[in-house]
Amino acid sequence: MRYRRSSVTRFSLDNFRRQLASIDALPQLCLLGFLSGTLTGGILIGFRELIDLGAMMLMPDQRSEDFEHLLPWVRSVLPITASVLIMSALALQSQKHTKMGVGHVIERLSYHQGQMPLLNWINQWWVGILSVMGGLSAGREGPAIHLGAGASSWMGERLRLPHNSLRVLVGCGTAAGISASFNTPITGVIFAMEVVMMEYTITGFMPIILASTMGAVVSQLMYGVEPAFTIPDDITGQLTDLPWISMMALVLGLMAGAFIRLVRLAQTQNHIGWWWRALIIGGMTGAIAWFYPEVQGIGYDTVDYTLNQSPSLIMLLVVAGGKLILTALTFAWGIPIGMIGPIMVIGATAGALCGIAGEALLPAIASNHDLYTMLGMAAMLGAVLQAPLAAIMVLIELTHNTSIIIYGMLAVVVSGLASRQCWHCQGFFVSTLSSQGLHPLQQPLMQALSRIAVPAVMDRAIVRSPERLERARAQRFLEAKPVWVVIDRDDKDQRPLAMSAADLARVLLDDEWEGIDTINLMDIPAKRIELAPIDLQATLSEAFDQLTEYGVDALYVEHTTAPLIKKISGIITRDSIENYYRYRR
């Protein structure tokens, strides 16, 4: 009975994998989206609770961003200690294991079909917690995205799902991570599609929407429905604000471009020893924090204070400028911090400065600085990431105020244009990867082929044969009506060949071969195709790359049935890939 139940389970899972290989496996992908969102929501709760646990032991008021109530020397020593601990631990590891955050997720999605290394994922836990609790200018959203995407990808790998579904799972984990962090489910969806996956498809949208929903639901069950900071209910704008909003957005666009350029410039100085870089990062953060602890941590409490109190100009100036420099330097010099939270805080404080200046210089046309605080947050986020839709949606979901949409749209577009045209900057993560010689923007053909797995296209009508076989055995092979005969070579070091089963049938009917009992498949008149291997879980883009790399026109699809035992499941040809793309995409 136990064996029978196991067989049924295996059959059901195999059928599930086969369905996922197709481009239109929406029900199956939505199920994965549900599981991914729930899993990511739970992981994010664990991540936040560990940060809060550290706050209970360290902070006087047991709040993770309560650096203001620490003694000046304590909050100054904290970032030095954190930076030295993080960089010394990472220096002991291979460089490939020190890649973390959103950029790492994009790289794995573009070059590794969404397969996420376990050690990088484990490192993200302690680095994310230590960087926030240690008072560095760091956020938790970047780590949240990596943890969600990595856990979702791991779930798919453990189930041996085709790689096209791993890509969707990474998008689901990304969306759920953003949704659970900010309580902004729509922003999570748009961020995943616009920043990480860089594509919009129905098969991607639906499971990602479900994952983002579940991430928010799990988070709300634990933390309630309140957003990351308190938003005043009376934020309004008027049409006379538009010229000053445009000026503010221009300034923020220039700041965003300067931020990206500063990161690129600092990365050219990575030849400096890691211990010096750690001391400089920690020392600069500690020196500013002695007087202005608002530069430490994520900074959401600073945004809260800016929106609901009367902030001083010097504090806003120090946070906007100091946090920009500290965040850029910390990231560029080897501490993989979360960027999204600090970027939003920089934008909020710079926007507040512009709003206060507008109130003083042009009181007849400029509204309250609260409006400019929120618009500045969206403008900076949109310009740094070159993600206008995500920036607009985060503004709407955080404020629950549709009356400021037109002002937000103007601010995001002007800042994005200013950053792109004045500094010639792409989005931060694309720019960072490009500086490493990586090109995460896929061509449309390869992007389309990445959505389909090999089992959806391969020809399963095959028989496997040695080079020499008896005539009777060859006739039994043909009774199964195969399309291909895969020839295992006598020389085991040589890859298999493929020939049409029709060619073998013609030989058996040919009078010239009638008296021959043993047929050598290498001698009969037939077109034999050289084959290269491809895994059953691979996508068509991987198959296309394999065809090009080996210079062949067909691949044999194999999968592991037992340790060290591989089975050939089918044949996939260049023509079959092209035909599927042409007629079924």
Side-chain angles (χ1 to χ4, degrees):
M1 190 68 174
R2 185 179 304 166
Y3 173 79
R4 185 176 179 182
R5 190 160 52 240
S6 174
S7 300
V8 171
T9 303
R10 188 182 303 113
F11 172 79
S12 300
L13 189 55
D14 287 343
N15 189 46
F16 185 71
R17 295 189 190 108
R18 187 174 301 179
Q19 292 169 335
L20 280 171
S22 175
I23 195 172
D24 54 359
L26 267 178
Q28 294 79 14
L29 289 173
C30 285
L31 174 60
L32 292 178
F34 175 88
L35 296 174
S36 170
T38 306
L39 176 63
T40 300
I43 286 174
L44 263 292
I45 288 175
F47 183 66
R48 290 179 62 174
E49 287 300 301
L50 287 173
I51 292 176
D52 290 342
L53 179 62
M56 290 176 61
M57 297 184 292
L58 184 64
M59 301 296 181
D61 290 343
Q62 300 183 357
R63 294 199 304 265
S64 61
E65 294 195 82
D66 198 23
F67 296 98
E68 292 86 351
H69 290 88
L70 292 174
L71 293 173
W73 72 268
V74 175
R75 63 175 179 249
S76 296
V77 169
L78 267 178
I80 299 174
T81 305
S83 58
V84 170
L85 285 175
I86 292 172
M87 293 195 73
S88 59
L90 294 180
L92 298 175
Q93 302 183 44
S94 171
Q95 187 175 5
K96 67 181 181 180
H97 295 139
T98 64
K99 295 181 178 181
M100 290 167 244
V102 181
H104 175 65
V105 174
I106 296 173
E107 177 189 345
R108 300 300 299 188
L109 193 66
S110 300
Y111 287 91
H112 303 277
Q113 301 298 326
Q115 296 172 296
M116 309 287 289
L118 179 60
L119 187 53
N120 299 60
W121 187 79
I122 294 172
N123 282 335
Q124 183 65 90
W125 278 93
W126 66 266
V127 170
I129 293 169
L130 193 55
S131 61
V132 173
M133 288 305 307
L136 296 171
S137 180
R140 63 172 181 247
E141 289 71 32
I145 290 169
H146 185 180
L147 294 176
S152 300
S153 174
W154 176 83
M155 178 179 69
E157 289 189 68
R158 291 290 293 176
L159 294 174
R160 294 191 291 116
L161 302 182
H163 291 171
N164 65 322
S165 58
L166 290 188
R167 291 177 54 84
V168 177
L169 279 170
V170 168
C172 290
T174 298
I178 288 289
S179 176
S181 296
F182 288 117
N183 196 17
T184 52
I186 301 178
T187 302
V189 174
I190 300 300
F191 185 94
M193 304 297 284
E194 189 174 31
V195 177
V196 175
M197 300 188 75
M198 302 182 198
E199 63 180 17
Y200 293 95
T201 63
I202 294 296
T203 53
F205 256 125
M206 288 191 180
I208 288 175
I209 288 172
L210 192 54
S212 188
T213 301
M214 292 310 302
V217 167
V218 173
S219 178
Q220 287 178 16
L221 288 173
M222 183 71 179
Y223 301 110
V225 298
E226 295 301 319
F229 31 79
T230 306
I231 311 294
D233 295 328
D234 57 348
I235 296 180
T236 58
Q238 50 192 0
L239 294 179
T240 55
D241 280 296
L242 294 178
W244 195 248
I245 288 173
S246 299
M247 288 298 298
M248 177 206 70
L250 178 62
V251 171
L252 287 172
L254 295 175
M255 288 179 63
F259 174 81
I260 296 173
R261 285 297 183 91
L262 180 58
V263 171
R264 295 283 295 274
L265 177 63
Q267 285 175 332
T268 63
Q269 305 301 313
N270 275 342
H271 59 275
I272 301 173
W274 67 263
W275 56 91
W276 284 113
R277 283 183 275 138
L279 290 175
I280 292 171
I281 292 168
M284 287 183 61
T285 306
I288 299 175
W290 182 283
F291 304 100
Y292 294 97
E294 292 84 1
V295 300
Q296 293 185 286
I298 308 171
Y300 290 158
D301 57 338
T302 302
V303 177
D304 208 12
Y305 180 80
T306 302
L307 287 168
N308 297 283
Q309 304 293 333
S310 299
S312 67
L313 292 178
I314 186 66
M315 185 272 284
L316 293 175
L317 188 62
V318 169
V319 173
K323 205 167 183 67
L324 185 148
I325 294 171
L326 291 175
T327 305
L329 197 62
T330 303
F331 180 87
W333 275 8
I335 299 181
I337 56 172
M339 306 289 301
I340 298 170
I343 287 170
M344 294 175 67
V345 174
I346 294 166
T349 50
L353 278 171
C354 292
I356 293 171
E359 288 180 288
L361 299 174
L362 303 166
I365 67 171
S367 297
N368 187 280
H369 75 270
D370 288 347
L371 172 67
Y372 290 84
T373 300
M374 295 306 299
L375 295 183
M377 181 187 300
M380 189 72 177
L381 183 68
V384 170
L385 302 184
Q386 287 295 304
L389 286 178
I392 292 169
M393 287 312 306
V394 77
L395 175 67
I396 295 171
E397 288 195 286
L398 286 176
T399 62
H400 299 286
N401 187 346
T402 57
S403 66
I404 64 173
I405 291 177
I406 58 172
Y407 309 106
M409 293 172 68
L410 176 66
V412 168
V413 169
V414 172
S415 64
L417 281 173
S419 173
R420 201 173 187 92
Q421 297 302 314
C422 297
W423 289 99
H424 305 289
C425 289
Q426 297 176 298
F428 175 79
F429 298 114
V430 173
S431 178
T432 303
L433 291 173
S434 297
S435 68
Q436 301 171 16
L438 304 175
H439 304 282
L441 292 171
Q442 289 185 306
Q443 297 176 351
L445 170 62
M446 302 309 290
Q447 202 170 64
L449 294 180
S450 295
R451 303 183 199 122
I452 312 160
V454 161
V457 180
M458 73 179 186
D459 196 333
R460 302 172 187 272
I462 65 168
V463 292
R464 196 169 178 179
S465 169
E467 282 189 17
R468 296 173 177 79
L469 75 163
E470 298 79 10
R471 187 182 190 88
R473 187 180 178 189
Q475 290 173 336
R476 287 197 301 272
F477 280 164
L478 294 178
E479 289 175 0
K481 299 182 179 178
V483 175
W484 296 98
V485 177
V486 178
I487 306 170
D488 290 324
R489 310 288 292 276
D490 290 342
D491 185 349
K492 299 301 180 183
D493 293 331
Q494 291 184 302
R495 293 194 299 268
L497 299 176
M499 60 176 285
S500 171
D503 289 334
L504 177 59
R506 276 194 295 270
V507 167
L508 294 180
L509 294 174
D510 193 335
D511 294 339
E512 183 179 344
W513 293 82
E514 185 175 358
I516 299 177
D517 293 329
T518 301
I519 298 173
N520 189 331
L521 297 183
M522 302 300 294
D523 293 337
I524 65 174
K527 181 181 179 181
R528 283 165 287 273
I529 304 173
E530 187 174 356
L531 301 175
I534 189 73
D535 192 84
L536 183 68
Q537 295 174 262
T539 64
L540 293 192
S541 64
E542 292 176 275
F544 192 87
D545 289 339
Q546 197 84 329
L547 289 169
T548 303
E549 179 181 347
Y550 284 96
V552 297
D553 291 320
L555 305 169
Y556 64 92
V557 182
E558 62 180 6
H559 70 281
T560 303
T561 57
L564 304 178
I565 299 177
K566 292 183 179 292
K567 177 183 177 182
I568 295 180
S569 305
I571 297 288
I572 184 168
T573 65
R574 189 183 299 272
D575 288 341
S576 64
I577 295 175
E578 293 174 352
N579 289 336
Y580 193 95
Y581 175 75
R582 185 178 295 116
Y583 299 116
R584 295 287 301 278
R585 67 187 177 91

